[in-house]
Amino acid sequence: MASSQANIEKMHLRQSYRNVWHADMMSTIEADCPYCCLALWCGPCVSYMLRKRALYNDMSRYVCCAGYMPCSGKCGESQCPEFCLATEVFLCFGNSVASTRFLLQDEFNIQTTQCDNCIIGFMVCLQQVACIFSIVAAIVGSEELSEASQILNCLSDVVYWTVCACMQTQHKIEMDKRDGKFGPQPMAVPPVQQMSRIDQPPPPPAGYAPQPAYGQPYGGYPPPPNQPPPNQGYPPAAYPQGGAYPPPAQGYPQGGAYPPPAQGYPQGGAYPPPGYPPQGSYPPAQGSYPPQGYPAK
């Protein structure tokens, strides 16, 4: 009684699981078609291999129907677990598939999607309807009901084996994910990270033209013809030592003299320039006043 109550509590607990199957039953054929065909034609053998793999190949942990049925632990599993598992998958195939499913769900907190629940519910309801039709046909003895019950039985068997094959393929894909056969492993070591270096060149621009340097024409176009290049005739950008600003231009005197001495002018500001006659040695101009011979004032 206590074990059945615990199983009921586990069934309610599975509804609150947050993880989902890696592939739902509708996509198992596309995900692994060869294995799905193998599970369809050799269902008991696949169920044996999946249960053993779900137990990490440790058969000492094996319990009949994974401990979810009343007969679990009462069939001498500890003495010959391989034989008991083979008996389970051949005589109780449906229970073996469901037990492996519950085992994986409880281990990885996996919930079943609404679509998968609908498929499983349809399979169960179809089996119940086929069973009811068979009982009614046997009681009434009508040939029409007997034929209808046989059609329903064949249809329910096809659905049952197809759903079981998809379900076992779903279990296999989930264990492939657990064992790291595809995708990143859960406990994989992160890749080595490299420290950035300042002396490394900057990365190339992605989709943008390189910006021109200061003093160069924008966009990298050549200057138009008959036009001197930029900065022609200007002094170099380096300033003179000592902080003098602005730098002396070529051809101008040092020390701030202004205006510059022109060619032929005396140095130092002397006037008149040398070479002219001394002052007062010029003859008086005609009509000058006072006339020559008068005393000067």
Side-chain angles (χ1 to χ4, degrees):
M1 184 67 181
S3 60
S4 61
Q5 184 67 25
N7 292 333
I8 294 175
E9 292 178 357
K10 284 184 179 181
M11 292 178 63
H12 291 291
L13 184 62
R14 292 188 191 102
Q15 299 177 0
S16 62
Y17 289 161
R18 292 293 177 264
N19 297 330
V20 294
W21 297 98
H22 188 77
D24 56 2
M25 284 195 289
M26 294 293 294
S27 60
T28 51
I29 299 178
E30 181 182 359
D32 198 340
C33 184
Y35 198 90
C36 189
C37 295
L38 177 64
L40 179 63
W41 298 105
C42 301
C45 299
V46 172
S47 180
Y48 182 94
M49 293 185 295
L50 290 177
R51 175 67 65 79
K52 188 175 180 180
R53 184 178 175 185
L55 296 174
Y56 297 91
N57 296 323
D58 185 8
M59 293 302 294
S60 62
R61 302 171 52 189
Y62 170 75
V63 180
C64 181
C65 295
Y68 296 105
M69 297 297 170
C71 61
S72 300
K74 302 176 182 179
C75 301
E77 299 94 335
S78 58
Q79 297 178 0
C80 190
E82 288 83 3
F83 178 77
C84 290
L85 178 59
T87 304
E88 175 189 344
V89 298
F90 279 100
L91 298 182
C92 304
F93 173 73
N95 290 336
S96 68
V97 175
S99 299
T100 304
R101 187 178 187 84
F102 296 153
L103 187 64
L104 294 175
Q105 284 185 276
D106 294 338
E107 182 179 1
F108 302 111
N109 295 335
I110 300 174
Q111 65 175 345
T112 303
T113 61
Q114 295 295 331
C115 181
D116 291 353
N117 285 329
C118 291
I119 293 174
I120 296 173
F122 174 75
M123 175 192 69
V124 175
C125 291
L126 189 60
Q127 286 181 335
Q128 297 296 329
V129 171
C131 181
I132 292 173
F133 264 73
S134 298
I135 295 174
V136 173
I139 295 175
V140 176
S142 174
E143 295 182 358
E144 291 79 4
L145 289 178
S146 178
E147 291 179 359
S149 65
Q150 291 179 2
I151 294 174
L152 282 177
N153 283 324
C154 291
L155 182 61
S156 64
D157 290 341
V158 170
V159 173
Y160 173 76
W161 287 104
T162 303
V163 171
C164 288
C166 294
M167 195 179 299
Q168 295 200 94
T169 307
Q170 190 179 42
H171 302 165
K172 184 256 184 184
I173 294 174
E174 193 65 29
M175 282 187 281
D176 286 345
K177 177 184 175 183
R178 178 197 69 181
D179 298 338
K181 292 190 176 182
F182 58 89
Q185 298 183 7
M187 300 299 292
V189 179
V192 179
Q193 298 181 358
Q194 297 181 359
M195 299 294 292
S196 61
R197 297 178 58 186
I198 302 177
D199 55 351
Q200 292 180 351
Y208 296 93
Q211 298 296 330
Y214 182 77
Q216 295 182 1
Y218 184 81
Y221 294 99
N226 301 327
Q227 181 178 351
N231 300 333
Q232 185 175 3
Y234 287 88
Y239 291 101
Q241 301 295 331
Y245 182 83
Q250 185 178 3
Y252 286 87
Q254 304 294 331
Y258 185 84
Q263 186 177 4
Y265 283 83
Q267 301 293 333
Y271 186 84
Y276 284 80
Q279 189 176 4
S281 60
Y282 289 95
Q286 188 176 0
S288 62
Y289 183 85
Q292 188 176 5
Y294 281 84
K297 291 181 179 182

